Amino acid sequence: MSAATAASPWKNRRRRIFQSVFQTDVSGPATSYTHHDPFAFGSGAATATSDQQVIYDGAWHTVTARISLPPSATAEELFETLAPDSQQQSSSGEDVEFNQALDLLVHAPTVLPWATPRTDDIMAWHAQQVRAHFSHHVIPILTACVGEQQQQQQQQGDRNEPNMVVVMTSIKTLQAALGLYSHGLGLLMRGLSPAAASDSSTSSSGGAVGEAELVEARFRRDIHALVAISASEGLMASLRIVLVRLIGTVLGIPSADGGQRTGESQRPTARARPVPPTENDFLALAARRRLHELVEQLYNVGLAGERFQVLFAEIMDWMMSNFVSGAYGGVWAAASDARTFAAATDTISRNPAALSSTSPCILSLSDWIENHFARLSVEVLSRLSPSSSSPPVTLSDVKTYQSLALGRLAALRIAELFDIALAWPSSRGALDDLRATITTAPRRQQLTASFSRALQARLLHPGCSTLDILHTYIAIIHTLHALDHSKVMLGHVEPSLQLYLCQREDAIRIVVAGLLASPDEVRAARKATEAFKRQGERRQKDGDAGSSSRWKRAEGSGAALFATPAARSGRSTRTPGTRRLREATPESGSQSRTTTPRGDRDRDRPSAGPTKLVELALLLNDPSQTRRAQPADDEGLDWDDMSWVPDPVDAGANYKRPKSEDVIGTLISALGSEDVFIKEFTAVIAERLLGDPNRFDQELRLLELLKQRFGEAALQNCDVMIKDVLDSRRLDTVIRRMRQLQDHGRFEQQQQQQQQQQAPLMRTPAGPMAAYNNNNNRKKDEAEVAETQYHACILSRLFWPALDHEHFLLPPPIVDKQKQYEKAYKSLKSGRKLTWLNQLGQTRVELELRDRTVTVDCSTAEATVIYAFHDADAGEDAPPARRSADELYNQLQMDEDLIAAALSFWASKGVLRRAQQGEYVVAETLAAPGGGSWEQQQGTAGVPSDKNANNNNNNNNGKAPRRAGKTAGGGGGAGGGDAKEQERRAMYWQYIRGMLTNSSASMPLAQMAMMMKMLIADGFPWSNEELQEFLGEKIAGGEMEVVGGKYKLVKK
Amino acid sequence: MEDNQNSAPGSVPSGKLGGARKTADPGQNAAKRLQTELMMLMTSPAPGVSAFPSADGNLLSWRATIEGPDDTPYAGLTFKLSFEFPSNYPYAAPTVLFTTPIYHPNVDFSGRICLDILKDKWTAAYNIQTVLLSLQSLLGEPNNASPLNGEAAELWDKDPTLFKTKVMDRHKDVEED
């Protein structure tokens, strides 16, 4: 055997050829042969070994040549070679040869005992081939198609189709490759199986067949692992998108790119709400079928491994969150909305009884979980493990899903809770959800913590007015009480609110004013509430009770809240941040301009007037709100109370179960201690009693109600105060009668009718007395001698809140009156002393001016100021009295601010007119009402009679010189309105000149407008454009110029 | 804020009772008063003087202008001043400085003014306009008894011509921008 002698070099060469052909360095048999090589020369069996090895190698070559994979493959080739049949049809001769060779290899242990036979080798070699082929050819194809599609999708923008293409191409490629690989394997297996059959004589046939299956299964596992590991990120991303779309459609969740592809195509809104598809929703059915196919295909090519399952789980999780937040976010209606829950209603009856008492949201959510979510999970998971006998999703899994979904719903509601509270009472449905889902202590804690955060961020900041805070607080009390009757949650939330309210000095005043709201206001509020309810119903019927209406509500509130402060200019503290109360979204911002603010306020604030907490008055009269004092031993012993529940776990040690909602009680306790409230209440009551002592039914009623709350003793002061007022009325009558007897006819010269009331009295011998004057001036006939009527109200110092003593000099006639009153009082009640509180009185003043008589109810300070204009010595022709604030200051010793207030009060009544140098002049004549400026009228109409009540009775029918010159100047030519406008423009021009002279020589328009707005006390109504126009006129007139965008005055 | 929210029918504004006005933020009161004064200045301006809040919109800081009165060495000149108001204005005097350099017996070289009504004689009855008018008259009638600028006080009587020259030398229009 020459071949044998030359075996070594030859075989080495052959091995090299082998390797070059198959591009593999795994050549098990050949390698092992070389190891044997040195042996071959040394042993007797060398020849046999060599021969057998040659035969073995030949067989090896035959087999490997047959099952080797195409060395280079493009996608097309891959698909072509794929056609499994074409390979089957290879010539029978080859087949036979192959089978023989394979046989030889498989049975090498027996047939060629010397040729280092290992059955595994051929399988391992094949696996290696497959791996190499996969990594060299298939993976590049996969990568290429993913990359290609990604490029396309970037260009096209449509995200679904390319992704679908990516997934499908990848699957096809993998299918082709796997077909190719299994073809080789199939050949091998065919060879192995007969071998096993022929083996059956020596070993049990079952064992051999089992081995073959084992080998094949191992190969499949390997190849699937290979595919799974090599799946690229791009492919998985595409797969995710495809799955999200399909699953979203199946579950009824609109995909992110709008609803037009999904079942909700009839909904035009971009923010379509998720709706579970009905049984015959064509699109959903198609998607479901498509999804099934896809999953099966994925499973077949090995892509349904762990990564796919993780992906699927993630998507399902995301879908659940999406569905919950999409379908229920902002849906708080208590009644089930006909459209949103239409799909759910027919299946509700099938729901577990445990949920029967819960809200529509929960019902429909459970239904969705059971009939859509869980169903889909079953369908997908069962396709992932078709062989497994146990169901992939058990009933307990479904329960877990449901509780998970309820958790999501709870989280959603918790996040929304602040808005829910604001929307009270139309948000009861949401509270039902919360009550049903907040079952554990951690969740309660989460709720209170999150709500407290929302409070801090949205309510408790300087931008919210106290009134807003109180409104919201009341809503919060309602809301949290509805959520948790035990009030423990409220207790957790309240502290920060209370702390903050304590910083608001006006809080108590607002509450008391709300409590004292008049019946009229209460009626109005009721009406508003009803209107609101009707509106709410209508809104619900309008469909889509979901997002759009919610946004509308939010917008409306924004507009309303802005409108309110704008109406009262100057309350700058309210304006800036009010909007933050509702989170302003771009949407609401843009739309609020188009909605009318009218009515929105009512909608937003159902039961409240804009300035008062009228709802408190409503609540005060609501019997269910009163705190019933129950004997302590009744607690928990009411065996018939079927709604009894144990105390919440997070209740404190001293927890006492409240019996009612008790908004007022909660509110009052939030404002500090009862003492503080009562003190403030007393102050307010005092104010009201002094203001209008004739009518205090409202106060009495409130007092009675508050007594039930706080007890008699706490409100004793108020009782005394009311008694004081009543007593002094009686006393006043007595004193007046005495006085009439004594000094009838002594005060003729006081035709001017002013009455001051001051009467103080002290019940205790030592102290000064609070006094209160009640002046009623009755108009008397001119001829008749008019007496200034003078009434006093006598207050018990100890029981009234501390009242400031404001010093000023009363007009002498009034002082006389006071003295008389004091004397009379002393004679009635010896040992007591009166201290007059001059500033607290009410006065009716009758002023006789030249052309008119003015009767005004005003404060004593105002009356005193106008009296100072009274000029007893003035002749009939004297010019109108003229005083400056400084003169008055010296004359009356009155506080400057009071003087200024009084002057502007009279100016607003048209009695005084501001003149040059801060002086005020009595407007003896007035234009006819409805006419133009009075100055003009004054110039034209002769005003014959002037009687100035201030100027006292002595000026009868005098003709005062007219300030004709001024009149002509002021009124010149223009109508009344124009004259006013002219005046205003002149004033603005002064401002502008002052600004440009002093502040800065040149300023841009915006800054000027800003300064004007800030500096002019009555507001600056012009827009920037109007100002620009005005400045334009001035520029045209040569008074100003523009330099570099800034305006400046032309230097003269 | 209170007055609006308590305006129950027939009730007295709370300011009269509770003294809430007194407890209000003093800066607010000053700002209000200054706003009123501004309005008065604008509606009834006095000749030769004017004043306005500074351009940054701070009501407690004003700029003012005085025109030198005729028949004084300052005739034809304009002087800028700065007013800084304390938060308890008008119960305390504003700090007034000449920002335009001025040669005057009662004004030092950094613009500080010696005027009794701006110091111990201040009362709440004064206002910006009265201060400006007082300053304007001070230009014509310096108080040479207590000069801040001794040389000027001396020259005022001794050498009016030299005084006038010094005034013109010292005066410089400050152009702000």
Side-chain angles (χ1 to χ4, degrees):
Chain A
M1 282 248 178
S2 61
T5 53
S8 177
W10 182 77
K11 287 216 171 96
N12 277 335
R13 270 204 304 279
R14 234 185 74 177
R15 197 186 68 203
R16 274 199 296 279
I17 294 167
F18 238 115
Q19 288 179 342
S20 70
V21 168
F22 294 114
Q23 298 176 332
T24 173
D25 49 6
V26 177
S27 48
T31 313
S32 53
Y33 172 76
T34 57
H35 287 297
H36 284 272
D37 206 23
F39 264 101
F41 296 102
S43 74
T47 311
T49 307
S50 298
D51 283 348
Q52 289 188 356
Q53 197 61 51
V54 169
I55 297 170
Y56 183 84
D57 288 342
W60 176 264
H61 176 71
T62 312
V63 171
T64 51
R66 179 70 193 277
I67 63 172
S68 70
L69 298 165
S72 75
T74 62
E76 292 75 23
E77 279 177 37
L78 198 55
F79 294 129
E80 277 167 21
T81 50
L82 199 178
D85 294 340
S86 68
Q87 298 222 349
Q88 302 277 358
Q89 291 162 358
S90 46
S91 73
S92 59
E94 271 178 40
D95 242 10
V96 172
E97 194 188 343
F98 171 78
N99 283 337
Q100 282 173 350
L102 185 61
D103 224 26
L104 208 57
L105 285 184
V106 172
H107 299 288
T110 46
V111 179
L112 304 168
W114 302 105
T116 63
R118 271 187 285 162
T119 311
D120 287 348
D121 287 341
I122 190 65
M123 299 304 299
W125 181 85
H126 181 245
Q128 191 67 32
Q129 282 277 296
V130 164
R131 246 175 244 143
H133 183 268
F134 188 82
S135 63
H136 284 140
H137 304 301
V138 179
I139 290 183
I141 293 174
L142 290 179
T143 318
C145 80
V146 169
E148 200 177 299
Q149 297 298 342
Q150 274 175 345
Q151 277 180 351
Q152 279 187 13
Q153 100 191 29
Q154 277 169 1
Q155 292 160 1
Q156 294 178 358
D158 183 2
R159 293 174 40 208
N160 283 327
E161 284 316 314
N163 285 314
M164 197 65 185
V165 170
V166 167
V167 173
M168 291 322 293
T169 337
S170 302
I171 289 176
K172 273 208 192 99
T173 310
L174 285 171
Q175 271 174 344
L178 289 185
L180 190 63
Y181 302 154
S182 58
H183 170 67
L185 184 73
L187 289 178
L188 284 180
M189 293 317 289
R190 241 189 304 162
L192 286 177
S193 302
S198 65
D199 263 356
S200 60
S201 53
T202 54
S203 63
S204 79
S205 66
V209 170
E211 192 189 353
E213 277 175 1
L214 212 63
V215 168
E216 188 179 357
R218 198 193 308 154
F219 174 76
R220 287 206 179 280
R221 207 176 57 227
D222 283 354
I223 198 75
H224 280 176
L226 193 60
V227 170
I229 288 169
S230 59
S232 67
E233 290 301 324
L235 175 60
M236 293 313 275
S238 295
L239 184 58
R240 175 186 290 270
I241 291 168
V242 169
L243 281 179
V244 164
R245 208 190 90 212
L246 289 175
I247 295 177
T249 310
V250 171
L251 294 180
I253 298 166
S255 57
D257 61 334
Q260 73 273 19
R261 286 181 184 286
T262 63
E264 285 74 35
S265 53
Q266 70 271 20
R267 287 170 177 272
T269 51
R271 294 169 48 96
R273 289 196 165 256
V275 174
T278 52
E279 286 303 321
N280 39 19
D281 185 335
F282 162 71
L283 277 172
L285 288 179
R288 184 181 293 272
R289 209 159 45 232
R290 188 71 199 83
L291 182 65
H292 292 169
E293 284 168 15
L294 182 65
V295 171
E296 274 162 18
Q297 283 170 335
L298 286 173
Y299 176 75
N300 286 337
V301 300
L303 275 176
E306 200 173 320
R307 282 178 77 180
F308 172 78
Q309 289 170 19
V310 170
L311 181 65
F312 179 68
E314 281 173 8
I315 291 174
M316 290 302 271
D317 172 74
W318 184 78
M319 286 290 162
M320 187 190 280
S321 303
N322 248 19
F323 183 80
V324 168
S325 61
Y328 305 115
V331 178
W332 304 326
S336 85
D337 178 81
R339 203 197 291 194
T340 309
F341 302 117
T345 43
D346 58 339
T347 49
I348 282 178
S349 49
R350 277 186 258 139
N351 269 300
L355 295 173
S356 62
S357 64
T358 47
S359 76
C361 281
I362 293 180
L363 286 181
S364 73
L365 181 60
S366 301
D367 174 70
W368 180 78
I369 290 291
E370 197 176 326
N371 294 317
H372 295 90
F373 190 86
R375 176 177 163 199
L376 186 69
S377 304
V378 171
E379 287 167 351
V380 170
L381 292 182
S382 63
R383 277 171 176 78
L384 294 184
S385 51
S387 54
S388 161
S389 56
S390 65
V393 176
T394 62
L395 200 58
S396 70
D397 287 336
V398 175
K399 290 275 175 242
T400 313
Y401 294 158
Q402 282 179 343
S403 71
L404 277 177
L406 288 187
R408 303 270 157 89
L409 184 63
L412 172 75
R413 291 289 185 242
I414 287 174
E416 287 177 339
L417 187 56
F418 190 80
D419 292 300
I420 292 174
L422 287 182
W424 172 269
S426 63
S427 54
R428 282 173 201 266
L431 295 177
D432 291 341
D433 295 345
L434 263 186
R435 214 181 17 244
T437 49
I438 303 288
T439 45
T440 60
R443 270 200 197 154
R444 289 168 70 98
Q445 219 159 22
Q446 188 195 350
L447 180 141
T448 48
S450 133
F451 191 68
S452 299
R453 270 196 307 277
L455 268 186
Q456 290 294 347
R458 296 177 61 184
L459 191 63
L460 304 183
H461 55 77
C464 286
S465 75
T466 312
L467 193 67
D468 283 334
I469 295 178
L470 287 172
H471 271 306
T472 315
Y473 191 17
I474 291 173
I476 290 171
I477 293 174
H478 281 306
T479 308
L480 290 187
H481 182 260
L483 193 58
D484 171 24
H485 284 283
S486 66
K487 278 183 136 181
V488 172
M489 270 188 209
L490 187 58
H492 285 305
V493 172
E494 262 178 335
S496 60
L497 197 55
Q498 294 178 352
L499 210 61
Y500 191 81
L501 273 181
C502 289
Q503 301 168 18
R504 295 286 182 124
E505 288 176 12
D506 51 347
I508 295 181
R509 272 181 185 275
I510 292 176
V511 169
V512 175
L515 287 172
L516 285 172
S518 69
D520 286 346
E521 288 166 313
V522 173
R523 264 196 296 281
R526 272 207 192 107
K527 218 176 274 172
T529 315
E530 277 156 27
F532 170 74
K533 269 187 199 145
R534 277 197 300 278
Q535 212 166 1
E537 282 159 18
R538 207 177 315 135
R539 197 179 333 124
Q540 276 188 6
K541 268 181 225 148
D542 286 348
D544 222 5
S547 60
S548 62
S549 70
R550 179 165 69 124
W551 290 120
K552 223 174 275 160
R553 196 181 315 143
E555 275 149 46
S557 69
L561 286 172
F562 269 140
T564 314
R568 321 176 202 122
S569 65
R571 293 187 158 203
S572 52
T573 53
R574 299 196 59 156
T575 337
T578 317
R579 184 162 211 152
R580 285 188 61 204
L581 187 57
R582 318 291 125 108
E583 273 156 1
T585 64
E587 258 177 287
S588 76
S590 63
Q591 293 182 24
S592 62
R593 254 170 265 136
T594 60
T595 52
T596 52
R598 173 212 60 75
D600 284 345
R601 181 184 306 168
D602 290 352
R603 197 197 300 174
D604 181 48
R605 288 266 135 74
S607 48
T611 54
K612 272 197 177 182
L613 288 172
V614 183
E615 62 240 61
L616 282 183
L618 287 174
L619 292 172
L620 193 63
N621 296 322
D622 181 350
S624 74
Q625 288 289 332
T626 51
R627 179 196 289 167
R628 276 156 298 204
Q630 289 202 349
D633 47 336
D634 265 13
E635 292 285 332
L637 288 183
D638 184 2
W639 301 104
D640 295 330
D641 185 2
M642 296 312 281
S643 58
W644 184 89
V645 283
D647 289 349
V649 282
D650 44 354
N654 296 327
Y655 173 71
K656 268 192 149 183
R657 174 172 303 275
K659 278 295 168 191
S660 71
E661 195 174 6
D662 193 24
V663 172
I664 295 174
T666 314
L667 202 54
I668 288 173
S669 64
L671 296 172
S673 65
E674 283 185 2
D675 293 347
V676 177
F677 178 79
I678 288 172
K679 206 170 140 214
E680 191 67 26
F681 174 74
T682 313
V684 174
I685 283 284
E687 204 173 291
R688 288 172 69 105
L689 286 179
L690 294 183
D692 188 0
N694 295 322
R695 279 182 26 228
F696 40 81
D697 306 347
Q698 190 76 17
E699 286 78 4
L700 277 177
R701 206 165 51 86
L702 177 62
L703 192 58
E704 289 309 311
L705 286 166
L706 287 179
K707 270 183 194 164
Q708 289 174 11
R709 218 169 254 288
F710 300 124
E712 291 271 349
L715 291 163
Q716 191 198 358
N717 280 7
C718 296
D719 277 341
V720 175
M721 282 157 57
I722 290 179
K723 187 162 167 292
D724 273 351
V725 175
L726 294 173
D727 278 354
S728 39
R729 225 185 263 173
R730 194 167 42 77
L731 194 68
D732 193 63
T733 323
V734 175
I735 290 178
R736 251 207 353 259
R737 200 170 299 140
M738 281 168 51
R739 217 173 39 190
Q740 272 168 5
L741 291 176
Q742 288 169 9
D743 16 76
H744 185 65
R746 236 170 80 185
F747 297 98
E748 293 85 358
Q749 72 267 50
Q750 295 206 338
Q751 181 171 7
Q752 142 173 21
Q753 285 117 355
Q754 281 216 11
Q755 303 177 332
Q756 309 256 8
Q757 347 126 335
Q758 305 166 326
L761 107 69
M762 64 188 333
R763 296 258 149 124
T764 54
M769 355 203 99
Y772 170 73
N773 288 333
N774 190 2
N775 299 338
N776 290 326
N777 280 334
R778 295 281 128 68
K779 183 183 176 193
K780 303 281 162 156
D781 191 340
E782 252 180 43
E784 191 187 329
V785 173
E787 162 115 8
T788 302
Q789 296 184 36
Y790 186 87
H791 305 276
C793 183
I794 296 164
L795 316 178
S796 312
R797 184 183 59 99
L798 286 184
F799 294 90
W800 286 71
L803 299 171
D804 276 357
H805 187 111
E806 191 87 48
H807 172 78
F808 58 85
L809 298 182
L810 288 171
I814 302 302
V815 175
D816 282 349
K817 286 280 184 190
Q818 267 186 357
K819 284 194 180 129
Q820 285 168 29
Y821 201 99
E822 218 167 313
K823 221 166 29 186
Y825 183 77
K826 249 184 199 157
S827 69
L828 283 175
K829 312 226 173 192
S830 59
R832 300 213 176 140
K833 187 174 154 249
L834 290 176
T835 304
W836 299 96
L837 295 175
N838 288 343
Q839 82 278 16
L840 291 179
Q842 294 284 311
T843 313
R844 170 165 300 167
V845 181
E846 189 181 294
L847 303 170
E848 291 174 13
L849 302 168
R850 284 185 197 169
D851 60 346
R852 67 197 189 277
T853 301
V854 179
T855 307
V856 179
D857 285 327
C858 61
S859 75
T860 44
E862 284 155 356
T864 307
V865 167
I866 200 66
Y867 186 83
F869 283 83
H870 160 68
D871 203 349
D873 305 330
E876 291 181 359
D877 294 336
R882 181 181 277 266
R883 302 275 186 279
S884 73
D886 289 344
E887 286 166 20
L888 291 173
Y889 179 71
N890 294 328
Q891 187 184 339
L892 302 176
Q893 300 177 13
M894 192 186 281
D895 184 276
E896 270 194 325
D897 291 351
L898 270 182
I899 292 180
L903 287 175
S904 52
F905 171 81
W906 288 114
S908 74
K909 296 280 177 203
V911 173
L912 292 183
R913 193 177 312 157
R914 196 191 289 264
Q916 296 280 322
Q917 311 278 344
E919 286 189 337
Y920 283 81
V921 178
V922 175
E924 291 285 354
T925 55
L926 183 64
S933 76
W934 69 52
E935 288 176 10
Q936 199 182 358
Q937 295 263 344
Q938 202 176 359
T940 54
V943 181
S945 78
D946 28 334
K947 178 146 235 182
N948 185 346
N950 290 325
N951 287 352
N952 223 343
N953 41 351
N954 292 338
N955 325 348
N956 284 332
N957 294 335
K959 280 218 168 125
R962 297 287 107 76
R963 283 167 297 155
K966 177 150 194 213
T967 305
D978 283 353
K980 215 172 236 172
E981 180 65 20
Q982 286 296 340
E983 208 173 277
R984 213 163 62 171
R985 290 165 72 95
M987 187 183 76
Y988 291 161
W989 176 234
Q990 278 297 334
Y991 269 86
I992 291 165
R993 271 180 40 191
M995 198 183 326
L996 294 178
T997 311
N998 297 295
S999 308
S1000 179
S1002 61
M1003 291 173 92
L1005 180 77
Q1007 193 185 4
M1008 290 170 75
M1010 191 267 291
M1011 295 267 293
M1012 299 284 276
K1013 286 199 169 77
M1014 195 172 60
L1015 296 175
I1016 298 179
D1018 305 332
F1020 179 67
W1022 286 2
S1023 66
N1024 282 9
E1025 287 71 28
E1026 283 171 294
L1027 179 62
Q1028 192 172 18
E1029 197 180 313
F1030 179 74
L1031 296 178
E1033 289 170 22
K1034 294 294 177 190
I1035 292 170
E1039 294 183 82
M1040 295 184 79
E1041 56 187 355
V1042 185
V1043 179
K1046 291 179 169 185
Y1047 288 85
K1048 58 190 290 186
L1049 294 173
V1050 173
K1051 288 230 169 72
K1052 292 185 179 154
Chain B
M1 210 161 215
E2 297 89 9
D3 39 3
N4 221 338
Q5 271 149 355
N6 290 314
S7 56
S11 73
V12 184
S14 62
K16 304 245 172 73
L17 243 193
R21 178 167 40 82
K22 299 245 164 80
T23 60
D25 175 17
Q28 284 290 49
N29 268 349
K32 223 164 156 188
R33 153 99 180 210
L34 287 168
Q35 215 175 22
T36 318
E37 282 196 27
L38 178 63
M39 178 66 93
M40 280 161 57
L41 275 171
M42 291 301 130
T43 47
S44 48
V49 300
S50 71
F52 210 78
S54 63
D56 60 2
N58 178 5
L59 260 179
L60 294 181
S61 166
W62 285 44
R63 302 285 172 268
T65 311
I66 296 180
E67 286 169 20
D70 297 340
D71 62 28
T72 69
Y74 305 99
L77 303 177
T78 56
F79 297 95
K80 299 272 184 191
L81 299 100
S82 75
F83 280 66
E84 301 296 333
F85 296 94
S87 63
N88 56 345
Y89 179 82
Y91 300 107
T95 308
V96 185
L97 293 178
F98 273 96
T99 50
T100 308
I102 180 171
Y103 187 76
H104 187 275
N106 301 112
V107 182
D108 74 5
F109 285 101
S110 50
R112 284 183 291 235
I113 304 165
C114 177
L115 182 61
D116 53 357
I117 65 162
L118 290 177
K119 304 272 163 17
D120 48 329
K121 291 284 169 50
W122 172 264
T123 77
Y126 289 113
N127 58 36
I128 298 169
Q129 193 160 22
T130 56
V131 168
L132 285 173
L133 291 172
S134 305
L135 287 172
Q136 198 180 27
S137 66
L138 186 71
L139 293 183
E141 304 154 12
N143 176 8
N144 286 328
S146 59
L148 280 177
N149 181 344
E151 184 199 53
E154 217 165 294
L155 285 182
W156 175 269
D157 291 323
K158 285 193 185 155
D159 194 343
T161 331
L162 183 57
F163 187 91
K164 170 80 178 169
T165 325
K166 295 236 174 200
V167 165
M168 298 312 283
D169 281 353
R170 180 111 178 86
H171 184 265
K172 227 184 292 162
D173 270 328
V174 274
E175 263 320 316
E176 42 190 329
D177 235 337

